């Protein structure tokens, strides 16, 4: 039996750590360590998954040679080597392995803190020069000192535990830190200002964002006690390098250690190279044998779940939803896709904006539901090849469609309900659907008409005058073209006024039939859509 999915693994990812894939019959794993080897491009043509470290640059041209690719896994954290936009536009999910190097990076932080306060690197250099300058290297103890943690996630948390073991107290600033986690870690939650007022050693463990860029900069360093220390193993740019070099030169800081830099590799003329009491390491946080094994096994499991279960919760470029949640939401998501499809067919002119409004039991439904609605909107326009769960939001943005999401409080009639408020070039459109029971989808509203339509097969939607005989005349035209009616649903706003008919039919309703229906004097609009 041939495997269902082929996963290409490169950049010398440790083969022994790929058990999640190699032990599963559904997967064929092909390892080609050098992605410049011609056999790599050949294998990529038929691969569904690709696992890389940092050496392989996954750019648009490489993706163009990978028509079947659905997921790229980065065995590590940073995805700078992967063109996320190009992957998203092609519907390829990109996932990383953020947890595998947590302990490795926390231990490097400890190594740097201890080397910094005991001047290990400088003492070593001095002895090698033939000196024996013991009095120059008097250090301090960690016991009794205060660590100021900025960011108490995976790595920050592990650093906190280790510093506590050294008898330090830990104060932490993290806007997302809960009381429970703070007490589990044995840290005191404080505001950012308190970190700078109280810490002897400051250690950020945050992502690089607009909020964290330069969070340790000229002003904050000035607020630190004289003789304190800074260590950064998070991301370059979190610490302002020029301000740090200046504070070391002036002696305001007793020492610092950096593993990450604004530009990597560090420039030859960086002011950091000449700054005193500074330890510099070349981005070694994840550089342990154990971390490399752990990130490889983490990414293998992620790629397996993505391909086999559609679980994209670890993807950086798709709504984060776990496979079991997706399975539970499936009837609602498919209904969303059908409504999106109907929206494209019925919208008067191009769609300018869509508000996806959901009322129901799940607080995780709205993002994936929106992605499915957009898939439904775009597939009739762009075809099925490029539109999928990952690319839909991106493609909608590219086409200038504004998308909003609204979580509604419970609907009075339905437990699972979704409504699309659409603004199109030539007017608005409102569509709604609901589930009957757990899994039976219905379209329940088209503009102001309350309907009850099972979204499956071919559907002809007519706007007509509510006059006697119109149903018979529509039936005759369809019958004349050998089209069997499976269900006829008529809704009207008032007796003798405007009405909407939704006719489910077996077979294909082509343009000739549609034109014939439009020739009926009572019929003002006719659209045909295939659902389900
Ligand atoms: P994480 O997501 O588990 O933790 C980050 C924490 O930062 C979260 O708790 C978050 O709430 C907090 N945070 C976000 N914005 C904040 C802000 N403005 N102020 C304060 N806290 C804020 O991530 P992690 O795995 O602990 O990684 C932390 C950092 O270490 C990341 O930047 C990661 O890229 C980096 N890292 C570096 C290496 C290395 O080789 N040096 C290795 C692994 C990770």
């Amino acid at each position: 039996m041939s495997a269902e999915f082929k996963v290409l693994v490169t950049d010398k990812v440790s083969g022994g750590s790929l058990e999640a894939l190699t032990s599963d019959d559904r997967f064929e794993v092909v390892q080609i360590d050098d992605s410049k080897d011609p056999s790599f491009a050949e294998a990529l043509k038929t691969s569904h998954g690709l696992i890389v470290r940092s050496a392989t640059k996954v750019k648009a041209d490489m993706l163009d040679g990978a028509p079947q690719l659905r997921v790229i896994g980065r065995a590590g954290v940073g995805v700078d080597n992967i063109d996320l936009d190009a992957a998203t536009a092609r519907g390829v999910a990109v996932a990383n392995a953020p947890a595998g190097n947590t302990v490795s990076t926390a231990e490097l932080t400890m190594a740097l803190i201890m080397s910094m306060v005991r001047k290990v690197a400088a003492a070593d250099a001095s002895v090698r020069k033939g000196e024996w300058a013991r009095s120059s290297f008097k250090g301090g103890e960690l016991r009794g000192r205060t660590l100021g943690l900025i960011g108490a996630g995976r790595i920050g948390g592990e650093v906190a535990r280790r510093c506590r073991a050294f008898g330090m107290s830990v104060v932490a600033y993290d806007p997302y830190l809960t009381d429970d986690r703070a007490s589990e870690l044995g840290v005191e939650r404080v505001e950012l200002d308190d970190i700078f007022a109280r810490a002897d050693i400051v250690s950020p463990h945050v992502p690089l964002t607009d909020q964290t860029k330069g969070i340790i900069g000229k002003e904050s360093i000035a607020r630190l006690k004289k003789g304190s220390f800074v260590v950064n193993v998070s991301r370059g740019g979190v610490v302002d390098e020029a301000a740090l070099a200046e504070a070391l030169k002036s002696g305001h800081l007793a020492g610092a250690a950096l593993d990450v830099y604004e530009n990597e590799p560090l420039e030859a003329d960086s002011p950091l190279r000449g700054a005193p009491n500074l330890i510099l390491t070349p981005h070694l946080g994840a550089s342990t044998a154990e971390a490399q094994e752990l990130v490889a096994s983490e990414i293998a499991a992620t790629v397996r779940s993505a391909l086999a279960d559609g679980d994209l919760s670890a993807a950086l470029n798709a709504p984060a939803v776990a496979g079991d949640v997706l399975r539970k939401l499936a009837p609602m998501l498919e209904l969303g896709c059908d409504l999106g499809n109907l929206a494209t067919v019925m919208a008067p002119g191009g769609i300018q904006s869509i508000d996806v409004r959901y009322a129901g039991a799940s607080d995780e439904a709205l993002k994936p539901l929106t992605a499915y609605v957009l898939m439904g909107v775009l597939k009739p326009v762009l075809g099925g090849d490029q539109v999928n769960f990952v690319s839909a939001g991106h493609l909608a943005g590219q086409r200038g469609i504004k998308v909003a999401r609204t979580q509604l409080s419970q609907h009075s009639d339905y437990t699972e309900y979704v409504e699309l408020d659409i603004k199109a070039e030539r007017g608005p459109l409102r569509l709604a659907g609901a589930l009957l029971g757990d899994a039976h989808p219905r379209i329940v509203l088209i503009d102001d008409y309350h309907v009850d339509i099972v979204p499956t097969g071919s559907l002809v939607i007519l706007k007509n005058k509510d006059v006697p005989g119109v149903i018979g005349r529509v039936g005759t035209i369809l019958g004349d073209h050998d089209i069997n009616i499976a269900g006829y649903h008529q809704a009207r706003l008032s007796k003798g006024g405007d009405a909407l008919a939704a006719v489910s039919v077996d077979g294909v309703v082509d343009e000739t039939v549609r034109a014939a229906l439009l020739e009926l004097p009572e019929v003002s609009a006719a659209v045909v859509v295939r659902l389900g």
Side-chain angles (χ1 to χ4, degrees):
M1 196 184 75
S2 74
E4 253 176 89
F5 305 107
K6 178 166 155 188
V7 179
L8 179 58
V9 181
T10 188
D11 293 346
K12 299 192 178 136
V13 170
S14 146
S17 315
L18 301 173
E19 211 201 329
L21 295 168
T22 51
S23 64
D24 189 326
D25 289 345
R26 293 170 297 178
F27 289 88
E28 178 198 356
V29 175
V30 176
Q31 277 199 274
I32 299 173
D33 284 344
D34 182 358
S35 56
K36 295 204 173 65
D37 192 301
S39 62
F40 175 88
E42 194 51 38
L44 192 60
K45 283 183 195 161
T46 49
S47 292
H48 305 94
L50 170 66
I51 295 181
V52 299
R53 284 176 34 181
S54 57
T56 295
K57 310 288 172 227
V58 186
K59 304 291 175 209
D61 53 344
M62 182 181 280
L63 292 169
D64 287 339
Q68 317 232 28
L69 198 64
R70 283 289 149 259
V71 57
I72 302 166
R74 157 78 164 103
V77 183
V79 287
D80 315 353
N81 56 318
I82 299 168
D83 184 338
L84 269 182
D85 286 343
T88 307
R90 287 161 181 77
V92 179
V94 178
N96 63 355
N101 50 31
T102 298
V103 167
S104 164
T105 308
E107 288 186 0
L108 180 71
T109 310
M110 296 312 295
L112 292 176
I113 288 177
M114 292 165 79
S115 306
M116 198 167 65
V117 297
R118 297 303 293 269
K119 307 180 194 238
V120 173
D124 171 79
S126 158
V127 173
R128 285 172 196 281
K129 272 199 287 181
E131 299 169 356
W132 196 255
R134 294 181 63 216
S135 59
S136 307
F137 300 113
K138 192 156 89 188
E141 290 188 3
L142 292 182
R143 181 182 50 173
R145 297 279 168 92
T146 299
L147 176 79
L149 205 58
I150 303 177
R154 281 179 294 260
I155 296 169
E158 292 304 315
V159 170
R161 287 188 221 283
R162 283 156 179 75
C163 285
R164 297 265 302 128
F166 276 88
M168 297 182 77
S169 43
V170 181
V171 292
Y173 167 70
D174 185 329
Y176 310 105
L177 178 64
T178 61
D179 282 336
D180 281 353
R181 175 147 167 92
S183 73
E184 185 223 325
L185 294 174
V187 308
E188 181 188 346
R189 275 176 59 180
V190 298
E191 291 305 318
L192 188 58
D193 278 348
D194 300 321
I195 295 282
F196 298 112
R198 291 172 58 183
D200 298 299
I201 300 170
V202 182
S203 189
H205 296 280
V206 288
L208 182 64
T209 64
D210 287 347
Q211 285 76 42
T212 61
K213 190 168 192 310
I215 201 166
I216 301 179
K218 194 170 174 194
E219 285 174 18
S220 46
I221 292 175
R223 276 186 276 143
L224 280 170
K225 288 181 262 188
K226 186 169 163 46
S228 42
F229 296 85
V230 169
V231 55
N232 184 21
V233 293
S234 66
R235 279 281 171 248
V238 168
V239 174
D240 179 327
E241 292 175 0
L244 185 84
E246 204 44 55
L248 287 165
K249 267 189 210 141
S250 74
H252 180 65
L253 288 180
L258 300 176
D259 185 48
V260 287
Y261 307 91
E262 282 163 18
N263 295 312
E264 294 184 12
L266 183 66
E267 303 101 331
D269 59 352
S270 162
L272 293 174
R273 291 189 191 266
N277 302 319
L278 177 61
I279 299 172
L280 304 172
T281 51
H283 207 139
L284 295 182
S287 295
T288 60
E290 291 86 348
Q292 293 310 312
E293 299 278 319
L294 282 170
V295 293
S297 54
E298 189 182 343
I299 204 63
T302 299
V303 167
R304 183 185 63 180
S305 313
L307 289 174
D309 307 328
D311 181 344
L312 297 179
S313 48
L316 303 168
N317 58 344
V321 205
D324 54 339
V325 177
L326 270 186
R327 270 191 294 281
K328 222 165 110 197
L329 290 175
M332 198 59 184
L333 299 180
E334 276 153 30
L335 175 61
C337 190
D338 282 332
L339 289 173
N341 198 335
L342 193 57
T344 291
V345 179
M346 291 197 69
I351 293 178
Q352 295 170 322
S353 71
I354 298 186
D355 185 4
V356 180
R357 302 158 68 80
Y358 164 78
S362 168
D363 48 16
E364 292 178 274
L366 199 49
K367 278 192 185 169
L369 183 57
T370 306
Y372 269 77
V373 167
L374 296 175
M375 278 162 62
V377 166
L378 295 169
K379 269 190 179 167
V381 186
L382 300 175
D385 286 352
Q386 55 166 324
V387 182
N388 68 13
F389 188 62
V390 176
S391 63
H394 176 85
L395 293 172
Q398 262 187 352
R399 297 179 69 80
I401 301 175
K402 291 203 179 69
V403 181
R405 298 188 297 257
T406 310
Q407 181 93 26
L408 302 170
S409 52
Q410 285 296 343
H411 190 277
S412 53
D413 296 327
Y414 304 106
T415 45
E416 290 292 316
Y417 174 82
V418 56
E419 184 179 289
L420 308 187
D421 261 333
I422 294 148
K423 218 174 112 213
E425 241 157 43
R426 293 197 296 278
L429 172 68
R430 199 151 67 105
L431 300 172
L435 291 189
L436 303 189
D438 280 346
H440 302 290
R442 293 286 187 277
I443 297 168
V444 297
L445 191 76
I446 298 178
D447 276 334
D448 294 329
Y449 300 96
H450 291 274
V451 293
D452 180 11
I453 302 168
V454 179
T456 178
S458 289
L459 196 67
V460 183
I461 295 176
L462 306 169
K463 285 198 176 156
N464 58 272
K465 286 268 166 279
D466 179 35
V467 291
V470 64
I471 297 182
R473 283 191 284 280
V474 168
T476 304
I477 290 180
L478 293 175
D480 286 349
H481 289 86
D482 253 355
I483 296 168
N484 189 38
I485 296 180
Y488 201 116
H489 182 96
Q490 175 94 356
R492 62 186 184 182
L493 298 178
S494 62
K495 196 173 163 189
D498 289 332
L500 180 132
V503 191
S504 314
V505 298
D506 303 328
V508 179
V509 179
D510 61 19
E511 205 35 47
T512 325
V513 183
R514 197 178 79 89
L517 290 168
L518 273 172
E519 275 180 19
L520 290 174
E522 305 87 351
V523 173
S524 59
V527 297
V528 180
V529 58
R530 266 199 83 77
L531 299 174

